[in-house]
Amino acid sequence: MGQRHDIGQRHDTGTDLAWAALAGDPGLPRRIAYGGPPGLLPARLPVMDLARAAVAACALAAAELAAQRYGGSLPAVRVDDGAVATAFVSERHLRIDGRAPSAFAPLSRFWRTADGWVRTHANYPHHQARLLRALGLPETAGPTEVAAVVAGRTADDVQEAVDAAGGLAVAARTPKEWAAHPQGAALAGLPLLSREALGGGTPPRPLPTLAGAPTLPAAGLRVLDLTRVIAGPVATRTLALLGADVLRIDAPQLPESQDAHNDTGFGKRSTTLDLGSRSGRASFEALLADAHVVVSGYRPGALDRFGLAPEALAERRPGLVVARLSAWGDDGPWGARRGFDSLVQVATGIAAAEADADGNPGALPAQALDHATGYLLAAAVLRSLTEQARTGGAHLATLALARTARWLMQDLGEGPKRPAAPTGTAAPPTGYDPDRHLRETDSPVGRLRHARPPIAFDGGPADWATPPGRWGTDAPVWR
C-alpha cells in the first residue's frame, strides 16, 4: 500500500470484521480515515492488522456512542498506525522517573522438555511458588534447577502437573496440533466475541447528563473494574479516557505490581475489598447499586461464589452492562484454567508460527492478544451502551484471548508469512518516530513517560484526565 503519513480514507478488512463481530452498522467503518507509516509490529502473522482493527473498532464505537448521547452526525474517526503500534507496547515505553519497569521474572520463559517446549509464567510470587512446588523444587530454586527437571519430562506432563498445583505452564503446539486439541476444537466454531441480552424487561436507561461536561462518550458512567494484568486494564483505561468513573477493585491478599498499574491505571482509581468479608461485600453492593458497567477479567466461575456471575449481577442491578474476558473462554475443558497472553501464544500455535530458523519458538512483537482484546472489550461495552439506550435490558459481552488468537491466525490473513528478517530484527520503519506518540506526566509515583491513547475522533479526548495513583489506596466510593 506504500508509505502512509497523511490521514486519508482507506478500506480496512480487519476493521470490517471486528465491527461485524460487534454487531454494528456495516456502513460505519467506511467513514474511518487511516494513516501512518507502514511496516510496524513486524511479524509473520498480521499483527499490525489485528492492532489497527481493534483500535479502529473501539474508536468507532466511542464516536457512535458520542453521537447517540449528544446528537448530531458521527464524529470523524482517525486511526494512525504509529499511535496504534506505540500503544500496543505501552508497557515497554513506560518510564518512572527515568526507570524502566520490571519485565518478565526469571522463571517466566520457554524451557526445553524431553519432547519439545513448555512455557511457564511466574511473574507473581504465588505463581512462582506453585511452579516450583509442582516440580518438586525448593522455593530458592532458580533457572538452572528448573531447566534440569523440565528437561527430563514431557511438555504435557509439566503442563498438567503445574496446572494441578495452581501454577501456569503450557506445552508448545503447532497450529495443527491446537486445532486437534479439545480446547482448540471447542473454540473453532465461535466468533471473535459475543454480545447478548442478559435480561429483558428493563426500559432503556437514560445515560447520565452532566452540566457543563465535555462531550465525552462515557461521561458520568460508573464502571467497576475487576480485572488484572493487561487486557482488562487496557479496556477500563480506555473507558476512563472516554470519561467514565472507573474504580478498580482487587482482593487485598493478591499482590499486584505498581509498575503494571503505572501503565494501565491512567484515569482510574484503585481500591481493595475483601469480598469474603461482610464489610467488603457491603461496600461492593453499595457500589454496584449505582454502577452502569461491570468488567471482569477472572476465570469463568471464579467469582460466582461472591454473587458476581453475570446473571446474578444483572438481577441485583437491572440494566447493567457486564463485560468479561478470560484466557481460554467459557467453552471447552480449559475454561477454568489460568492463562496469560504469552501462554495463549504458545498453546495456539502462534509461537510455532513465529519460530526462528532453528525451530526455537518465538513470540509476537507485542503482547498483542492482550492489547487487542482490551480494545475490543472496551468497544463491546460502548456498543452495548449504545444498544441499551435504544432497547433497554441488561447486556453481556464475552471475550477470550484464545478467541482473539484464532482471529489472528485464521481470519485476518492467509496464514503465517516468512519475512526477510526474523521477527523483531528488522530496522525501524522509515517515518516512524515513537516519541511523537509519547508524553510525560507528573503522578503520585513520579514523573511518567507513557504512550498516548490511540483512540482519536473529532471532539474526543487527547489524553487521560488523571495519571495513575498508588495501587489500592483509593476509597471504595464513587466520585
Side-chain angles (χ1 to χ4, degrees):
M1 291 182 292
Q3 200 161 310
R4 300 192 313 274
H5 293 292
D6 299 324
I7 297 290
Q9 210 74 19
R10 187 172 65 84
H11 171 62
D12 186 80
T13 301
T15 302
D16 288 346
L17 293 172
W19 192 247
L22 291 162
D25 180 342
L28 293 186
R30 302 290 179 141
R31 300 165 68 177
I32 301 174
Y34 298 87
L40 303 178
L41 300 180
R44 293 179 181 136
L45 293 166
V47 178
M48 192 64 228
D49 293 346
L50 172 76
R52 183 191 305 113
V55 170
C58 185
L60 185 58
E64 180 191 38
L65 182 58
Q68 165 78 26
R69 294 192 66 180
Y70 302 109
S73 60
L74 183 81
V77 176
R78 303 174 302 281
V79 178
D80 184 304
D81 278 9
V84 172
T86 304
F88 263 59
V89 289
S90 60
E91 64 274 13
R92 300 181 196 172
H93 288 294
L94 183 70
R95 297 292 182 273
I96 307 103
D97 289 331
R99 175 184 64 84
S102 56
F104 278 87
L107 299 187
S108 295
R109 48 166 280 192
F110 283 105
W111 309 89
R112 189 178 286 278
T113 67
D115 63 344
W117 296 89
V118 69
R119 178 147 190 169
T120 55
H121 194 288
N123 284 3
Y124 287 111
H126 57 296
H127 290 157
Q128 176 172 309
R130 293 168 185 173
L131 168 66
L132 293 173
R133 185 165 60 249
L135 298 177
L137 293 169
E139 292 185 1
T140 56
T144 301
E145 293 88 345
V146 171
V149 171
V150 170
R153 301 171 67 169
T154 68
D156 274 334
D157 178 36
V158 173
Q159 170 188 283
E160 296 306 312
V162 174
D163 177 73
L168 293 114
V170 168
R173 290 177 171 80
T174 65
K176 184 176 180 180
E177 289 169 341
W178 177 245
H181 188 275
Q183 186 61 32
L187 296 174
L190 298 180
L192 170 61
L193 57 92
S194 303
R195 284 186 55 246
E196 58 191 282
L198 189 54
T202 305
R205 178 191 291 177
L207 297 173
T209 300
L210 304 181
T215 56
L216 295 172
L221 294 170
R222 292 169 170 166
V223 178
L224 287 174
D225 176 6
L226 309 176
T227 70
R228 294 167 63 81
V229 195
I230 296 178
V234 163
T236 52
R237 180 181 71 182
T238 303
L239 297 175
L241 169 76
L242 299 171
D245 181 6
V246 178
L247 181 63
R248 173 171 165 168
I249 298 176
D250 286 276
Q253 66 270 25
L254 284 179
E256 183 55 292
S257 163
Q258 179 64 47
D259 280 353
H261 187 61
N262 291 341
D263 177 46
T264 58
F266 282 90
K268 299 188 264 186
R269 292 174 300 124
S270 167
T271 192
T272 59
L273 287 178
D274 181 0
L275 298 182
S277 71
R278 181 176 299 178
S279 62
R281 286 294 299 275
S283 293
F284 181 86
E285 292 302 320
L287 292 166
L288 178 64
D290 291 321
H292 300 92
V293 178
V294 174
V295 184
S296 171
Y298 290 79
R299 289 170 293 142
L303 300 179
D304 289 4
R305 68 186 186 278
F306 300 120
L308 301 183
E311 296 78 9
L313 288 168
E315 183 177 348
R316 301 201 303 281
R317 177 59 165 145
L320 190 69
V321 171
V322 180
R324 57 192 185 128
L325 71 113
S326 61
W328 308 107
D330 294 2
D331 302 276
W334 282 18
R337 291 203 179 200
R338 298 167 178 84
F340 292 97
D341 180 307
S342 59
L343 301 185
V344 176
Q345 288 190 38
V346 171
T348 60
I350 291 174
E354 297 291 341
D356 65 18
D358 296 324
N360 299 311
L364 300 178
Q367 294 199 65
L369 304 182
D370 263 333
H371 284 272
T373 306
Y375 287 108
L376 290 169
L377 181 64
V381 169
L382 297 167
R383 286 249 59 246
S384 295
L385 290 166
T386 297
E387 295 287 344
Q388 185 187 63
R390 300 167 181 159
T391 65
H395 291 249
L396 172 65
T398 304
L399 296 88
L401 299 184
R403 289 166 78 167
T404 304
R406 182 181 181 277
W407 198 55
L408 172 67
M409 294 283 287
Q410 297 188 24
D411 297 335
L412 282 179
E414 299 174 355
K417 298 176 176 59
R418 296 276 174 178
T423 299
T425 64
T430 302
Y432 174 57
D433 179 8
D435 287 344
R436 290 184 55 234
H437 309 291
L438 302 174
R439 68 161 297 174
E440 293 196 355
T441 302
D442 288 320
S443 80
V445 298
R447 187 159 182 81
L448 302 180
R449 187 192 78 172
H450 63 92
R452 294 177 181 269
I455 304 297
F457 57 94
D458 283 357
D463 210 339
W464 290 274
T466 59
R470 295 194 178 278
W471 174 83
T473 58
D474 292 298
V477 295
W478 295 116
R479 285 192 174 112

PDB file of all heavy atoms in Angstrom, residues 25 53 74 76 78 131 149 178 204 227 279 289 297-298 313 317 344 388 403 416 421 455 457 465 471:
ATOM      1  N   ASP A  25     -23.461  -1.128  12.696  1.00  0.00           N
ATOM      2  CA  ASP A  25     -23.921  -0.755  11.358  1.00  0.00           C
ATOM      3  C   ASP A  25     -22.781  -0.992  10.372  1.00  0.00           C
ATOM      4  O   ASP A  25     -21.721  -0.376  10.476  1.00  0.00           O
ATOM      5  CB  ASP A  25     -24.318   0.724  11.372  1.00  0.00           C
ATOM      6  CG  ASP A  25     -24.809   1.229  10.017  1.00  0.00           C
ATOM      7  OD1 ASP A  25     -24.548   0.576   8.995  1.00  0.00           O
ATOM      8  OD2 ASP A  25     -25.426   2.308   9.987  1.00  0.00           O
ATOM      9  N   ALA A  53      -7.262  -2.957  13.585  1.00  0.00           N
ATOM     10  CA  ALA A  53      -8.690  -3.274  13.590  1.00  0.00           C
ATOM     11  C   ALA A  53      -9.293  -3.104  14.979  1.00  0.00           C
ATOM     12  O   ALA A  53     -10.403  -2.579  15.126  1.00  0.00           O
ATOM     13  CB  ALA A  53      -8.905  -4.699  13.084  1.00  0.00           C
ATOM     14  N   LEU A  74     -22.085  11.373  13.100  1.00  0.00           N
ATOM     15  CA  LEU A  74     -20.972  10.600  13.655  1.00  0.00           C
ATOM     16  C   LEU A  74     -19.688  11.420  13.590  1.00  0.00           C
ATOM     17  O   LEU A  74     -19.301  11.890  12.510  1.00  0.00           O
ATOM     18  CB  LEU A  74     -20.796   9.306  12.859  1.00  0.00           C
ATOM     19  CG  LEU A  74     -19.713   8.356  13.372  1.00  0.00           C
ATOM     20  CD1 LEU A  74     -20.251   7.530  14.531  1.00  0.00           C
ATOM     21  CD2 LEU A  74     -19.240   7.435  12.251  1.00  0.00           C
ATOM     22  N   ALA A  76     -15.884  12.340  13.065  1.00  0.00           N
ATOM     23  CA  ALA A  76     -14.872  11.730  12.209  1.00  0.00           C
ATOM     24  C   ALA A  76     -13.874  10.948  13.053  1.00  0.00           C
ATOM     25  O   ALA A  76     -13.378  11.435  14.075  1.00  0.00           O
ATOM     26  CB  ALA A  76     -14.154  12.808  11.405  1.00  0.00           C
ATOM     27  N   ARG A  78     -10.236   8.802  13.269  1.00  0.00           N
ATOM     28  CA  ARG A  78      -8.914   8.712  12.655  1.00  0.00           C
ATOM     29  C   ARG A  78      -8.105   7.623  13.344  1.00  0.00           C
ATOM     30  O   ARG A  78      -8.128   7.519  14.571  1.00  0.00           O
ATOM     31  CB  ARG A  78      -8.177  10.055  12.766  1.00  0.00           C
ATOM     32  CG  ARG A  78      -8.925  11.226  12.148  1.00  0.00           C
ATOM     33  CD  ARG A  78      -8.219  12.555  12.431  1.00  0.00           C
ATOM     34  NE  ARG A  78      -8.059  12.810  13.861  1.00  0.00           N
ATOM     35  CZ  ARG A  78      -9.035  13.259  14.637  1.00  0.00           C
ATOM     36  NH1 ARG A  78     -10.244  13.482  14.149  1.00  0.00           N
ATOM     37  NH2 ARG A  78      -8.819  13.484  15.921  1.00  0.00           N
ATOM     38  N   LEU A 131       4.736 -23.146  40.890  1.00  0.00           N
ATOM     39  CA  LEU A 131       5.532 -23.784  39.840  1.00  0.00           C
ATOM     40  C   LEU A 131       6.628 -24.642  40.455  1.00  0.00           C
ATOM     41  O   LEU A 131       6.801 -25.819  40.087  1.00  0.00           O
ATOM     42  CB  LEU A 131       6.140 -22.710  38.933  1.00  0.00           C
ATOM     43  CG  LEU A 131       7.220 -23.165  37.957  1.00  0.00           C
ATOM     44  CD1 LEU A 131       6.647 -24.114  36.918  1.00  0.00           C
ATOM     45  CD2 LEU A 131       7.879 -21.970  37.280  1.00  0.00           C
ATOM     46  N   VAL A 149      15.112 -30.205  35.737  1.00  0.00           N
ATOM     47  CA  VAL A 149      13.931 -31.033  36.000  1.00  0.00           C
ATOM     48  C   VAL A 149      13.053 -31.125  34.761  1.00  0.00           C
ATOM     49  O   VAL A 149      12.602 -32.214  34.365  1.00  0.00           O
ATOM     50  CB  VAL A 149      13.138 -30.458  37.193  1.00  0.00           C
ATOM     51  CG1 VAL A 149      11.792 -31.169  37.325  1.00  0.00           C
ATOM     52  CG2 VAL A 149      13.934 -30.582  38.474  1.00  0.00           C
ATOM     53  N   TRP A 178      -3.016 -27.605  17.844  1.00  0.00           N
ATOM     54  CA  TRP A 178      -4.014 -26.873  18.627  1.00  0.00           C
ATOM     55  C   TRP A 178      -5.413 -27.121  18.058  1.00  0.00           C
ATOM     56  O   TRP A 178      -6.383 -27.291  18.808  1.00  0.00           O
ATOM     57  CB  TRP A 178      -3.710 -25.391  18.644  1.00  0.00           C
ATOM     58  CG  TRP A 178      -4.736 -24.565  19.376  1.00  0.00           C
ATOM     59  CD1 TRP A 178      -5.560 -23.626  18.859  1.00  0.00           C
ATOM     60  CD2 TRP A 178      -5.032 -24.616  20.786  1.00  0.00           C
ATOM     61  NE1 TRP A 178      -6.358 -23.082  19.842  1.00  0.00           N
ATOM     62  CE2 TRP A 178      -6.060 -23.668  21.034  1.00  0.00           C
ATOM     63  CE3 TRP A 178      -4.541 -25.364  21.857  1.00  0.00           C
ATOM     64  CZ2 TRP A 178      -6.594 -23.449  22.307  1.00  0.00           C
ATOM     65  CZ3 TRP A 178      -5.082 -25.151  23.135  1.00  0.00           C
ATOM     66  CH2 TRP A 178      -6.083 -24.211  23.340  1.00  0.00           C
ATOM     67  N   PRO A 204     -35.228   1.310  28.415  1.00  0.00           N
ATOM     68  CA  PRO A 204     -33.950   1.975  28.122  1.00  0.00           C
ATOM     69  C   PRO A 204     -33.545   2.914  29.241  1.00  0.00           C
ATOM     70  O   PRO A 204     -34.362   3.697  29.753  1.00  0.00           O
ATOM     71  CB  PRO A 204     -34.245   2.737  26.827  1.00  0.00           C
ATOM     72  CG  PRO A 204     -35.336   1.951  26.177  1.00  0.00           C
ATOM     73  CD  PRO A 204     -36.186   1.434  27.308  1.00  0.00           C
ATOM     74  N   THR A 227     -10.462  -6.431  37.011  1.00  0.00           N
ATOM     75  CA  THR A 227      -9.522  -7.014  36.057  1.00  0.00           C
ATOM     76  C   THR A 227      -8.096  -6.836  36.553  1.00  0.00           C
ATOM     77  O   THR A 227      -7.820  -6.009  37.417  1.00  0.00           O
ATOM     78  CB  THR A 227      -9.656  -6.368  34.662  1.00  0.00           C
ATOM     79  OG1 THR A 227      -9.171  -5.020  34.704  1.00  0.00           O
ATOM     80  CG2 THR A 227     -11.104  -6.360  34.194  1.00  0.00           C
ATOM     81  N   SER A 279     -18.027  -6.705  55.588  1.00  0.00           N
ATOM     82  CA  SER A 279     -17.854  -5.288  55.258  1.00  0.00           C
ATOM     83  C   SER A 279     -17.461  -5.102  53.802  1.00  0.00           C
ATOM     84  O   SER A 279     -17.917  -4.163  53.135  1.00  0.00           O
ATOM     85  CB  SER A 279     -16.800  -4.662  56.177  1.00  0.00           C
ATOM     86  OG  SER A 279     -15.534  -5.298  55.999  1.00  0.00           O
ATOM     87  N   ALA A 289     -24.919  -0.821  43.293  1.00  0.00           N
ATOM     88  CA  ALA A 289     -26.236  -0.212  43.206  1.00  0.00           C
ATOM     89  C   ALA A 289     -26.251   1.013  42.302  1.00  0.00           C
ATOM     90  O   ALA A 289     -27.301   1.373  41.755  1.00  0.00           O
ATOM     91  CB  ALA A 289     -26.721   0.162  44.611  1.00  0.00           C
ATOM     92  N   GLY A 297     -12.199  -9.789  34.633  1.00  0.00           N
ATOM     93  CA  GLY A 297     -11.129 -10.457  33.901  1.00  0.00           C
ATOM     94  C   GLY A 297     -10.661 -11.735  34.569  1.00  0.00           C
ATOM     95  O   GLY A 297      -9.536 -12.173  34.314  1.00  0.00           O
ATOM     96  N   TYR A 298     -11.484 -12.327  35.417  1.00  0.00           N
ATOM     97  CA  TYR A 298     -11.121 -13.561  36.097  1.00  0.00           C
ATOM     98  C   TYR A 298     -11.628 -14.777  35.323  1.00  0.00           C
ATOM     99  O   TYR A 298     -12.465 -14.649  34.425  1.00  0.00           O
ATOM    100  CB  TYR A 298     -11.678 -13.568  37.521  1.00  0.00           C
ATOM    101  CG  TYR A 298     -10.984 -12.580  38.433  1.00  0.00           C
ATOM    102  CD1 TYR A 298     -11.301 -11.225  38.396  1.00  0.00           C
ATOM    103  CD2 TYR A 298      -9.999 -12.995  39.320  1.00  0.00           C
ATOM    104  CE1 TYR A 298     -10.657 -10.310  39.220  1.00  0.00           C
ATOM    105  CE2 TYR A 298      -9.344 -12.096  40.151  1.00  0.00           C
ATOM    106  CZ  TYR A 298      -9.685 -10.746  40.099  1.00  0.00           C
ATOM    107  OH  TYR A 298      -9.040  -9.843  40.906  1.00  0.00           O
ATOM    108  N   LEU A 313     -25.478 -10.507  38.890  1.00  0.00           N
ATOM    109  CA  LEU A 313     -25.238  -9.063  38.905  1.00  0.00           C
ATOM    110  C   LEU A 313     -26.420  -8.317  38.281  1.00  0.00           C
ATOM    111  O   LEU A 313     -26.883  -7.301  38.815  1.00  0.00           O
ATOM    112  CB  LEU A 313     -23.949  -8.742  38.145  1.00  0.00           C
ATOM    113  CG  LEU A 313     -22.641  -9.132  38.814  1.00  0.00           C
ATOM    114  CD1 LEU A 313     -21.491  -9.023  37.823  1.00  0.00           C
ATOM    115  CD2 LEU A 313     -22.376  -8.242  40.024  1.00  0.00           C
ATOM    116  N   ARG A 317     -28.817  -5.508  39.832  1.00  0.00           N
ATOM    117  CA  ARG A 317     -28.698  -4.185  39.227  1.00  0.00           C
ATOM    118  C   ARG A 317     -29.274  -4.250  37.819  1.00  0.00           C
ATOM    119  O   ARG A 317     -28.555  -4.403  36.830  1.00  0.00           O
ATOM    120  CB  ARG A 317     -27.224  -3.753  39.212  1.00  0.00           C
ATOM    121  CG  ARG A 317     -26.935  -2.434  38.545  1.00  0.00           C
ATOM    122  CD  ARG A 317     -27.665  -1.273  39.174  1.00  0.00           C
ATOM    123  NE  ARG A 317     -27.095   0.001  38.753  1.00  0.00           N
ATOM    124  CZ  ARG A 317     -27.803   1.107  38.557  1.00  0.00           C
ATOM    125  NH1 ARG A 317     -29.120   1.090  38.739  1.00  0.00           N
ATOM    126  NH2 ARG A 317     -27.211   2.224  38.193  1.00  0.00           N
ATOM    127  N   VAL A 344      -1.075 -18.210  25.911  1.00  0.00           N
ATOM    128  CA  VAL A 344      -2.033 -18.432  24.828  1.00  0.00           C
ATOM    129  C   VAL A 344      -1.308 -18.455  23.488  1.00  0.00           C
ATOM    130  O   VAL A 344      -1.632 -19.255  22.605  1.00  0.00           O
ATOM    131  CB  VAL A 344      -3.141 -17.366  24.855  1.00  0.00           C
ATOM    132  CG1 VAL A 344      -4.078 -17.530  23.668  1.00  0.00           C
ATOM    133  CG2 VAL A 344      -3.928 -17.452  26.167  1.00  0.00           C
ATOM    134  N   GLN A 388     -28.231  -0.374  24.430  1.00  0.00           N
ATOM    135  CA  GLN A 388     -29.069  -0.323  25.621  1.00  0.00           C
ATOM    136  C   GLN A 388     -29.904   0.950  25.663  1.00  0.00           C
ATOM    137  O   GLN A 388     -31.059   0.940  26.097  1.00  0.00           O
ATOM    138  CB  GLN A 388     -28.194  -0.421  26.866  1.00  0.00           C
ATOM    139  CG  GLN A 388     -28.966  -0.499  28.168  1.00  0.00           C
ATOM    140  CD  GLN A 388     -28.040  -0.413  29.352  1.00  0.00           C
ATOM    141  OE1 GLN A 388     -27.368   0.594  29.552  1.00  0.00           O
ATOM    142  NE2 GLN A 388     -27.979  -1.477  30.137  1.00  0.00           N
ATOM    143  N   ARG A 403      -9.758 -16.702  21.672  1.00  0.00           N
ATOM    144  CA  ARG A 403     -10.599 -16.366  20.533  1.00  0.00           C
ATOM    145  C   ARG A 403      -9.938 -15.287  19.677  1.00  0.00           C
ATOM    146  O   ARG A 403      -9.981 -15.324  18.440  1.00  0.00           O
ATOM    147  CB  ARG A 403     -11.979 -15.913  21.021  1.00  0.00           C
ATOM    148  CG  ARG A 403     -12.795 -17.059  21.587  1.00  0.00           C
ATOM    149  CD  ARG A 403     -14.006 -16.615  22.376  1.00  0.00           C
ATOM    150  NE  ARG A 403     -15.121 -16.198  21.525  1.00  0.00           N
ATOM    151  CZ  ARG A 403     -16.355 -16.008  21.986  1.00  0.00           C
ATOM    152  NH1 ARG A 403     -16.632 -16.202  23.275  1.00  0.00           N
ATOM    153  NH2 ARG A 403     -17.324 -15.625  21.164  1.00  0.00           N
ATOM    154  N   PRO A 416       0.689 -17.767   8.268  1.00  0.00           N
ATOM    155  CA  PRO A 416       1.988 -17.137   8.503  1.00  0.00           C
ATOM    156  C   PRO A 416       2.763 -16.890   7.219  1.00  0.00           C
ATOM    157  O   PRO A 416       2.706 -17.667   6.268  1.00  0.00           O
ATOM    158  CB  PRO A 416       2.708 -18.167   9.396  1.00  0.00           C
ATOM    159  CG  PRO A 416       1.618 -19.002   9.986  1.00  0.00           C
ATOM    160  CD  PRO A 416       0.534 -19.042   8.959  1.00  0.00           C
ATOM    161  N   ALA A 421      13.608 -10.811   7.407  1.00  0.00           N
ATOM    162  CA  ALA A 421      14.416 -10.942   8.618  1.00  0.00           C
ATOM    163  C   ALA A 421      13.562 -11.552   9.714  1.00  0.00           C
ATOM    164  O   ALA A 421      12.335 -11.421   9.704  1.00  0.00           O
ATOM    165  CB  ALA A 421      14.941  -9.572   9.048  1.00  0.00           C
ATOM    166  N   ILE A 455      -6.888   6.137  20.546  1.00  0.00           N
ATOM    167  CA  ILE A 455      -8.282   6.394  20.178  1.00  0.00           C
ATOM    168  C   ILE A 455      -8.419   7.862  19.789  1.00  0.00           C
ATOM    169  O   ILE A 455      -8.136   8.757  20.596  1.00  0.00           O
ATOM    170  CB  ILE A 455      -9.229   6.074  21.349  1.00  0.00           C
ATOM    171  CG1 ILE A 455      -9.028   4.629  21.815  1.00  0.00           C
ATOM    172  CG2 ILE A 455     -10.673   6.336  20.959  1.00  0.00           C
ATOM    173  CD1 ILE A 455      -9.344   3.584  20.789  1.00  0.00           C
ATOM    174  N   PHE A 457     -11.010  10.711  17.629  1.00  0.00           N
ATOM    175  CA  PHE A 457     -12.185  11.115  16.853  1.00  0.00           C
ATOM    176  C   PHE A 457     -12.478  12.577  17.191  1.00  0.00           C
ATOM    177  O   PHE A 457     -12.062  13.084  18.235  1.00  0.00           O
ATOM    178  CB  PHE A 457     -13.394  10.226  17.162  1.00  0.00           C
ATOM    179  CG  PHE A 457     -13.790  10.188  18.618  1.00  0.00           C
ATOM    180  CD1 PHE A 457     -14.766  11.039  19.132  1.00  0.00           C
ATOM    181  CD2 PHE A 457     -13.194   9.290  19.485  1.00  0.00           C
ATOM    182  CE1 PHE A 457     -15.119  11.012  20.459  1.00  0.00           C
ATOM    183  CE2 PHE A 457     -13.534   9.241  20.825  1.00  0.00           C
ATOM    184  CZ  PHE A 457     -14.506  10.113  21.313  1.00  0.00           C
ATOM    185  N   ALA A 465      -7.582  12.220  31.994  1.00  0.00           N
ATOM    186  CA  ALA A 465      -7.780  13.360  32.886  1.00  0.00           C
ATOM    187  C   ALA A 465      -6.851  13.302  34.085  1.00  0.00           C
ATOM    188  O   ALA A 465      -6.462  14.351  34.622  1.00  0.00           O
ATOM    189  CB  ALA A 465      -9.241  13.404  33.350  1.00  0.00           C
ATOM    190  N   TRP A 471      -1.467   1.998  43.724  1.00  0.00           N
ATOM    191  CA  TRP A 471      -2.412   0.905  43.635  1.00  0.00           C
ATOM    192  C   TRP A 471      -3.053   0.618  44.993  1.00  0.00           C
ATOM    193  O   TRP A 471      -2.381   0.569  46.023  1.00  0.00           O
ATOM    194  CB  TRP A 471      -1.698  -0.355  43.129  1.00  0.00           C
ATOM    195  CG  TRP A 471      -2.567  -1.577  43.143  1.00  0.00           C
ATOM    196  CD1 TRP A 471      -3.465  -1.956  42.202  1.00  0.00           C
ATOM    197  CD2 TRP A 471      -2.624  -2.566  44.172  1.00  0.00           C
ATOM    198  NE1 TRP A 471      -4.083  -3.121  42.571  1.00  0.00           N
ATOM    199  CE2 TRP A 471      -3.585  -3.516  43.775  1.00  0.00           C
ATOM    200  CE3 TRP A 471      -1.959  -2.732  45.390  1.00  0.00           C
ATOM    201  CZ2 TRP A 471      -3.896  -4.628  44.553  1.00  0.00           C
ATOM    202  CZ3 TRP A 471      -2.276  -3.844  46.172  1.00  0.00           C
ATOM    203  CH2 TRP A 471      -3.230  -4.779  45.751  1.00  0.00           C
TER     204      TRP A 471
END
